[in-house]
Amino acid sequence: MSLSYPEDLKLLVNEALRQYFPRSDRHLSVVSEAMSYSLFSPGKRFRPVLTLLAAEALGADPKIALPVACAIEFIHTYSLIHDDLPAIDNDDLRRGRATCHIKFGEDVAILAGDALFAEAFVLVLTEQQKYADAGRLLETLRELAAATGINGMVGGQAVDIMATGADVDRDTLEYIHNHKTGSLITAAARCGAILGGGSAAEIEAISEYAKHLGLTFQIIDDILDVVGSTDGVGKHVGRDADNRKTTFPGQLGVDKAQDEAQATAAMAIEALSGAGFKTDRLVDMANFVLRRTS
Ligand code: GRG
């Protein structure tokens, strides 16, 4: 079993993020600086790397999916900035640095997040069309919009807020995880599969893989909040308990939560069996997510 991370693809993403970072008027320098501060802080680039892995699995050059991959990292960064705000999780540390609102103020942080979200769509519309026909381009745009709306990330975050401190059942907990975290991860993989020229069946197999991978990712995130270190994860640990959030380790204990993560990672890998395309790096990624410590 390989635990290696696709550093080659992460490098491509980091280079492309520099290339695609939006230029803006000098009057907006503080908002632009806040966007850049959060975007170029040291993240794993997990979602854009997953986009490239999905395109590559279907036999495409992963570079053809770079604009949409970077757009997904813009959106992810937007969600982190807003998630850290005092009105939501009220965190002062992210990716090992002061959060955006601590460094630039709440007003600038809100605008920086909003701008990253809009610029994600500008990026896809201007750059991705060089590598995709109109039909596949529109499909990716629909994926991004749906994954972030009321039935996607915003919906998951809303239920999470409403469930804080409440006695949450398993279905609701899975709803929160699958939407707050899983929606964008699934969209990242689906966009890669769409742009990689996947058939409906191939896109479906990658989608099923990513759905289970997204849940694994969030269960491990919750476990790291209990057993991880601030240095390792780059944010304060123990915040879920402080914020009275329901989590898998909170409900089941760390060992059983780890078993759940193991089971969901196995389901992700199983979704690829018999897929008929090259799945080794997607399988490696599932094993990495399961064992990750940051
Ligand atoms: C952006 C549409 C939109 C809505 C905002 C605040 C909010 C609504 C949603 C919160 C979504 C959120 C922050 C979910 C947590 C997901 C998660 C596990 C984040 C950490 O991801 P990593 O570990 O972080 O990939 P790095 O720093 O490596 O990128």
Side-chain angles (χ1 to χ4, degrees):
M1 180 180 62
S2 166
L3 290 184
S4 64
Y5 193 74
E7 293 294 337
D8 55 328
L9 301 183
K10 182 177 172 184
L11 190 66
L12 283 181
V13 168
N14 279 331
E15 285 169 358
L17 284 171
R18 295 267 167 211
Q19 181 191 346
Y20 293 140
F21 184 75
R23 310 280 163 254
S24 55
D25 192 277
R26 67 185 168 83
H27 298 296
L28 299 168
S29 60
V30 67
V31 179
S32 180
E33 202 189 321
M35 292 160 72
S36 163
Y37 172 82
S38 291
L39 187 67
F40 297 116
S41 57
K44 292 180 286 297
R45 312 305 191 203
F46 167 62
R47 295 152 192 80
V49 162
L50 188 59
T51 302
L52 303 192
L53 279 178
E56 180 192 74
L58 291 168
D61 179 346
K63 288 186 184 147
I64 60 106
L66 273 170
V68 91
C70 291
I72 288 166
E73 189 65 15
F74 284 14
I75 293 171
H76 170 58
T77 304
Y78 156 47
S79 79
L80 298 180
I81 294 172
H82 281 203
D83 194 50
D84 290 333
L85 287 168
I88 304 200
D89 277 358
N90 194 20
D91 272 307
D92 62 9
L93 189 69
R94 167 74 69 182
R95 292 175 166 177
R97 296 178 175 181
T99 47
C100 194
H101 68 275
I102 293 290
K103 176 105 175 141
F104 295 94
E106 275 181 63
D107 46 3
V108 172
I110 291 168
L111 293 172
D114 291 345
L116 281 167
F117 187 54
E119 292 299 333
F121 288 90
V122 174
L123 173 55
V124 177
L125 284 162
T126 50
E127 297 293 336
Q128 193 60 64
Q129 47 129 332
K130 295 175 185 165
Y131 308 102
D133 63 44
R136 287 189 189 258
L137 184 69
L138 283 175
E139 272 186 70
T140 63
L141 286 166
R142 196 204 156 275
E143 291 293 336
L144 297 188
T148 48
I150 186 74
N151 292 310
M153 188 154 54
V154 164
Q157 181 66 24
V159 177
D160 192 16
I161 290 168
M162 290 184 285
T164 298
D167 195 9
V168 166
D169 62 23
R170 168 74 185 241
D171 273 3
T172 309
L173 181 57
E174 280 200 29
Y175 180 93
I176 293 168
H177 283 6
N178 286 336
H179 290 78
K180 189 178 86 165
T181 306
S183 293
L184 191 61
I185 291 175
T186 303
R190 284 178 65 84
C191 285
I194 292 164
L195 295 169
S199 66
E202 287 168 335
I203 295 167
E204 192 45 41
I206 285 193
S207 200
E208 194 61 15
Y209 157 83
K211 199 177 80 187
H212 296 301
L213 186 70
L215 187 52
T216 312
F217 191 91
Q218 184 60 54
I219 296 172
I220 297 295
D221 203 72
D222 291 350
I223 292 174
L224 289 174
D225 190 64
V226 179
V227 303
S229 68
T230 298
D231 277 355
V233 294
K235 55 187 178 181
H236 294 301
V237 292
R239 299 288 289 145
D240 291 335
D242 293 349
N243 288 337
R244 298 186 305 133
K245 297 268 181 186
T246 307
T247 64
F248 272 82
Q251 276 199 341
L252 305 172
V254 168
D255 289 348
K256 285 214 169 70
Q258 190 70 49
D259 292 345
E260 290 278 347
Q262 177 98 43
T264 54
M267 285 191 258
I269 293 168
E270 175 60 26
L272 299 172
S273 66
F277 51 83
K278 211 165 160 289
T279 59
D280 50 343
R281 294 238 279 180
L282 292 169
V283 170
D284 285 353
M285 185 57 125
N287 285 318
F288 173 85
V289 165
L290 185 60
R291 318 266 165 209
R292 73 190 178 96
T293 54
S294 65

